[in-house]
Amino acid sequence: NQHTFIRDTHSIVLCEGLYLLHEDQDNNWNRKLFKEQFDFSIYINANLDDCINKLKIRNKCIPGYTEEEIDIRCDIVDRENALSVIKCKDSAEYVVDSVVSRLDD
């Protein structure tokens, strides 16, 4: 609990996360609750392969896993989760293309 949000003090809070717009397979995700918690949502389109490759590098610091295990997890689990979230991107109020992806071209 190092960080505390106080609505009367903080006018803007940014929340980043792949699963914020995610709907589960059974559509148990509660859109109403999401809309009550967030005033505005943005989905950033990015090249999935680039994201997975960056994730493989970032996750190498997770203790208890070999580099090969991280690569396999990213390719199988994280890629599948990302594909599932991509289907939900229209839940966001605004969809934009990643500037990073355009700069890498």
Side-chain angles (χ1 to χ4, degrees):
N1 293 337
Q2 292 178 0
H3 307 286
T4 303
F5 169 69
I6 303 169
R7 185 167 291 280
D8 294 336
T9 304
H10 303 99
S11 57
I12 296 176
V13 175
L14 298 177
C15 298
E16 179 277 331
L18 180 63
Y19 300 112
L20 290 173
L21 295 174
H22 185 259
E23 295 182 35
D24 69 17
Q25 294 175 354
D26 299 321
N27 288 320
N28 289 329
W29 181 76
N30 189 333
R31 282 183 198 272
K32 183 179 179 197
L33 178 61
F34 175 82
K35 297 293 185 185
E36 289 172 0
Q37 298 297 317
F38 297 97
D39 297 321
F40 188 74
S41 59
I42 301 171
Y43 178 90
I44 301 173
N45 271 323
N47 180 284
L48 181 56
D49 292 329
D50 291 345
C51 291
I52 294 297
N53 288 333
K54 290 173 185 177
L55 188 62
K56 287 178 182 180
I57 294 167
R58 186 191 78 185
N59 286 356
K60 300 280 194 238
C61 69
I62 298 174
Y65 294 93
T66 66
E67 289 190 12
E68 293 78 20
E69 289 172 326
I70 291 293
D71 288 347
I72 291 169
R73 178 181 168 77
C74 289
D75 282 328
I76 296 173
V77 176
D78 295 313
R79 182 178 298 277
E80 187 65 32
N81 290 342
L83 289 169
S84 149
V85 171
I86 288 170
K87 296 175 188 173
C88 306
K89 71 181 180 182
D90 292 332
S91 297
E93 278 86 18
Y94 199 59
V95 178
V96 298
D97 289 329
S98 171
V99 174
V100 174
S101 293
R102 285 182 281 167
L103 292 176
D104 289 343
D105 291 341

